[in-house]
């Protein structure tokens, strides 16, 4: 590992270890005496093994093992923690990184740096910029608690490990029930509020909730939707002193997205804020980007409301910013934020205010804009600027997007708090779409949001209430007319009799993460159906769709293998379908998953082929068996020469790569004849059958086998 990399990581007083095996590390650089306190004997033996005598270091190494296994580059860090051994006290920060295929652990002694940062006004700026370290520690504590709280429903069995984690850290931690009742609060949380709590405020969590609700319009949305949130609270202490508190809120959820606990993590940042007050620019401007901060934005917003002239507020939220910080590190995230602001600022009019109001959130007050179209035009311009690639120092690049919510004064609201609440609701709704968009607040939007929240809650119990059903749509060999396989399509029939279409509930499931347990149910149920078909003498493969969220589920492969074994079916009777977009967005994960499932014997099909971009080169690299021509090309192939040409090109290319071709959306004999004449292998569509409940599908199989003759959809499907 090169010294230049140490410098790039900002490491000064450090020790470096190379991972040589699971739980074993070899010393690369271990000259500092303080290492004898943390890892006795490591300097003399030139190595150490886990577990160590430091629970915090052991916890971080568990996270590091996961990072080394799944990440390709970048680094993760622990955040600062204390080690108090005998009369010695260390302030440490650990990094896990990699170089040239080797894995490294760096332990940094930051005690001296920590003391020096508090001596000058410049250190105040540095402390503000080092906010990422606070965020990293909050994230780390949250991850460890999340894992523990999900290990067991019996809190007593894990109370001791939880206590060790939260008492070891300097940050204040409160663990609450889903109804926001306290389960555990650590001593550091009480020390944040010291002796100034009144008898009514004897529990810190109550004061935190009260401050959050009073100072942030998004309080109601965060709690009702179970969202993560972070920000700063101001507490006016008796008899008049102010205290600034950094709060991070994390919901702990089951696979079905039901909240089991809330984790509140608190830091006292009053010292930084006090130093900043000595410099007006640092008080009102964001230290990283040099644009107005949240405090200054709210002052201007209140002033704009008092002027009583119409204006718009635009609320900007960066897409996938949390993921960028996790993969590339917070320092890279900072660079992207700075470059993004440089791109967006030229498009904001001089008379408008552009402010950073959160980690990845910005707002614009359009003072002189009185039309929605002007806001739409600006929003689209900002989105275009943000979606251009961001290039990283290692030569790679990443892409982000912007979701924008807008609200109008005085049309939507006549006070600042309500106006921002509505803009927040609009941007929250914009996040539901896969592409960046501009969303305006409206009553219809509010109603739609309530509908989404209601469906989210209903989805959490849909599996246990047996509300899901798999319909099967057959795929026929165009030469013989034989049914070779069928696509499994999910249907939701609520207990109240309402049928929710997949176009409505699948995006909600995808956004909330519920698609992961639902997708597992689909796989399990499809395997059960295959087993039933086998017992009835039918040999029919079933194809199930995988969503992008499922691809990221590291337990998916194990679940597929287990479902096949439990149902006693052959792996080649199951097929997985992925869309082109998944290939492009998750190529590395897709490559690993498809390679492993092919080893099992499961086949793979690419759905909606022809509608994506930049994926043609992947066809020869990935283990794929079939491609499905999107129905949009099949629909007009008889009358549209371009669609004909595209279909012919897809068939020729697929066959040259030894792939089978399936056409979906076949509805007419002319379409069928064209596809058959040009050697398309299989087809599915209403010409042969609509998607059928399992019992009707079995009847369809029996009739087709006995007659070897096509049956129209109306004879089998009452719909």
């Amino acid at each position: 590992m090169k010294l230049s990399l140490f410098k790039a990581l900002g490491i000064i007083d450090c020790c470096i270890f190379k991972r040589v095996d699971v739980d074993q590390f070899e010393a690369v650089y271990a000259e500092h005496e303080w290492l004898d306190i943390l890892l006795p004997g490591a300097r003399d033996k030139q190595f150490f093994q886990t577990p160590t005598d430091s629970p915090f270091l052991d916890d971080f190494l568990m996270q590091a093992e996961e990072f080394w296994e799944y990440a390709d580059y970048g680094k993760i860090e622990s955040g600062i923690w204390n080690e108090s051994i005998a009369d010695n006290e260390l302030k440490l920060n650990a990094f896990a990184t990699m170089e040239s295929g080797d894995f490294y652990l760096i332990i940094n002694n930051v005690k001296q740096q920590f003391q020096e940062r508090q001596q000058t006004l410049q250190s105040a700026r540095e402390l503000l910029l080092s906010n990422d370290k606070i965020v990293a520690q909050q994230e780390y504590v949250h991850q460890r608690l999340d894992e523990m709280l999900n290990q067991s429903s019996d809190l007593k069995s894990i109370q001791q490990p939880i206590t060790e984690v939260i008492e070891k850290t300097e940050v204040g931690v409160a663990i609450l029930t889903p109804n926001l009742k306290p389960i555990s609060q650590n001593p550091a949380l009480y020390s944040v509020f010291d002796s100034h709590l009144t008898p009514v405020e004897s529990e810190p969590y109550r004061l935190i909730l009260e401050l959050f609700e009073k100072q942030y319009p998004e309080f109601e949305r965060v709690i009702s939707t179970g969202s993560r949130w972070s920000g700063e609270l101001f507490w006016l202490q008796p008899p008049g002193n102010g205290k600034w508190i950094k709060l991070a809120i994390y919901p702990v959820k089951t696979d079905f997205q039901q909240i089991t606990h809330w984790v509140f993590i608190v830091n006292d940042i009053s010292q930084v804020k006090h130093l900043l007050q000595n410099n007006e620019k640092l008080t009102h401007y964001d230290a990283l980007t040099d644009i107005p901060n949240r405090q200054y934005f709210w002052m201007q917003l209140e002033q704009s409301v008092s002027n009583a002239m119409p204006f718009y507020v635009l609320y900007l939220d960066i897409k996938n910013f949390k993921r960028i910080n996790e993969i590339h590190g917070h320092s890279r995230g900072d660079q992207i934020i700075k470059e993004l602001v440089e791109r967006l600022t030229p498009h904001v009019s001089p008379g408008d205010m552009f402010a950073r109001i959160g980690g990845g959130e910005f707002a614009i007050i359009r003072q002189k804009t009185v039309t929605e179209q002007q806001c739409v035009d600006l929003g689209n311009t900002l989105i275009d600027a943000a979606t251009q690639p961001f290039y990283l120092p290692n030569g790679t690049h990443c892409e982000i997007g912007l979701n924008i919510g807008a609200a109008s004064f005085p049309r939507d609201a006549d006070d600042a708090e309500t106006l921002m609440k509505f803009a927040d609701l609009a941007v929250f709704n914009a996040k539901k779409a896969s592409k960046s968009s501009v969303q305006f607040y409206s009553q219809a939007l509010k109603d739609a949001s309530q509908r989404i929240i209601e469906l989210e809650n209903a989805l959490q119990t849909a599996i246990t209430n047996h509300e899901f059903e798999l319909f099967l749509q057959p795929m026929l060999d165009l030469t013989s007319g034989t049914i070779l396989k069928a696509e499994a399509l999910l249907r939701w029939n609520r207990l109240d009799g309402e049928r929710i279409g997949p176009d409505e509930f699948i995006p909600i499931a995808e956004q909330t993460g519920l698609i992961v347990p639902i997708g597992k149910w689909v796989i399990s149920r499809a395997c059960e159906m295959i087993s039933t078909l086998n017992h009835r003498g039918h040999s029919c493969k079933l194809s199930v769709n995988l969503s992008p969220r499922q691809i990221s589920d590291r337990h998916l492969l194990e679940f597929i293998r287990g479902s096949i074994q439990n149902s006693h079916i052959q792996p080649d009777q199951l097929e997985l379908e992925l869309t082109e977009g998944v290939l492009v967005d998750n190529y590395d994960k897709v490559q690993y998953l498809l390679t492993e499932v092919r080893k099992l014997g499961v086949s793979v099909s690419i759905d909606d082929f022809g509608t994506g971009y930049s994926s043609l080169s992947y066809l020869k690299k990935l283990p794929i068996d079939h491609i499905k021509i999107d129905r949009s090309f099949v629909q007009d192939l008889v009358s549209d020469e371009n669609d004909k040409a595209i279909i012919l090109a897809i068939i020729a290319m697929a066959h040259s790569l030894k792939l089978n071709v399936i056409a979906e959306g076949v509805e007419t004999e002319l379409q069928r004849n064209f596809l058959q004449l040009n050697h398309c292998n299989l087809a599915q569509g209403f010409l042969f059958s609509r998607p059928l409940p399992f019992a009707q599908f079995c009847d369809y199989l029996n009739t087709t086998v006995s007659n070897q003759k096509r049956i129209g959809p109306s004879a089998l499907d009452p719909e």
Side-chain angles (χ1 to χ4, degrees), residues 601-634:
V602 176
S603 59
V604 177
S605 177
I606 302 304
D607 197 11
D608 300 334
F609 190 81
T611 60
Y613 301 93
S614 305
S615 60
L616 293 178
S617 61
Y618 298 152
L619 292 181
K620 63 181 181 181
K621 300 177 183 178
L622 294 174
I624 297 168
D625 301 284
H626 316 279
I627 59 175
K628 296 182 74 173
I629 301 175
D630 186 69
R631 66 182 65 248
S632 62
F633 299 113
V634 176

Side-chain angles (χ1 to χ4, degrees), residues 123-125 127-128 268-277:
S123 72
R125 176 181 284 274
L127 279 171
L128 190 62
D268 183 352
I269 56 171
S270 300
Q271 184 179 12
V272 176
K273 289 291 186 179
H274 175 71
L275 291 170
L276 293 179
Q277 288 173 359

Side-chain angles (χ1 to χ4, degrees), residues 304-319:
S304 298
V305 168
S306 66
N307 291 340
M309 297 295 292
F311 66 91
Y312 279 87
V313 170
L314 274 64
Y315 198 141
L316 286 63
D317 181 81
I318 303 177
K319 294 169 66 73

Side-chain angles (χ1 to χ4, degrees), residues 340-396:
L340 177 65
V341 169
E342 291 172 0
R343 293 185 189 183
L344 301 186
T345 300
H347 301 292
V348 180
S349 300
D352 298 338
M353 169 175 271
F354 178 36
R356 186 186 185 197
I357 60 174
E361 298 172 330
F362 302 85
I364 297 174
I365 301 175
R366 298 221 65 184
Q367 303 281 12
K368 300 178 181 179
T369 299
V370 293
T371 67
E372 283 195 8
Q373 189 57 50
Q374 288 175 288
C375 286
V376 170
D377 293 342
L378 174 61
N380 289 333
T381 299
L382 298 178
I383 288 171
D384 289 342
T387 51
Q388 300 302 313
F390 289 81
Y391 291 92
L392 303 177
N394 60 7
T396 62

Side-chain angles (χ1 to χ4, degrees), residues 140-158:
Y140 177 76
V141 173
H142 159 246
Q143 290 171 2
R144 301 301 300 135
L145 292 176
D146 186 84
E147 291 174 3
M148 291 180 181
L149 291 168
N150 274 318
Q151 283 177 0
S152 172
S153 58
D154 180 13
L155 277 178
K156 292 183 180 179
S157 66
I158 56 173

Side-chain angles (χ1 to χ4, degrees), residues 327-339:
I327 295 175
H328 303 292
H330 289 280
S331 61
R332 294 287 184 264
D334 280 353
Q335 292 302 314
I336 290 174
I337 287 285
K338 292 177 67 175
E339 184 177 340

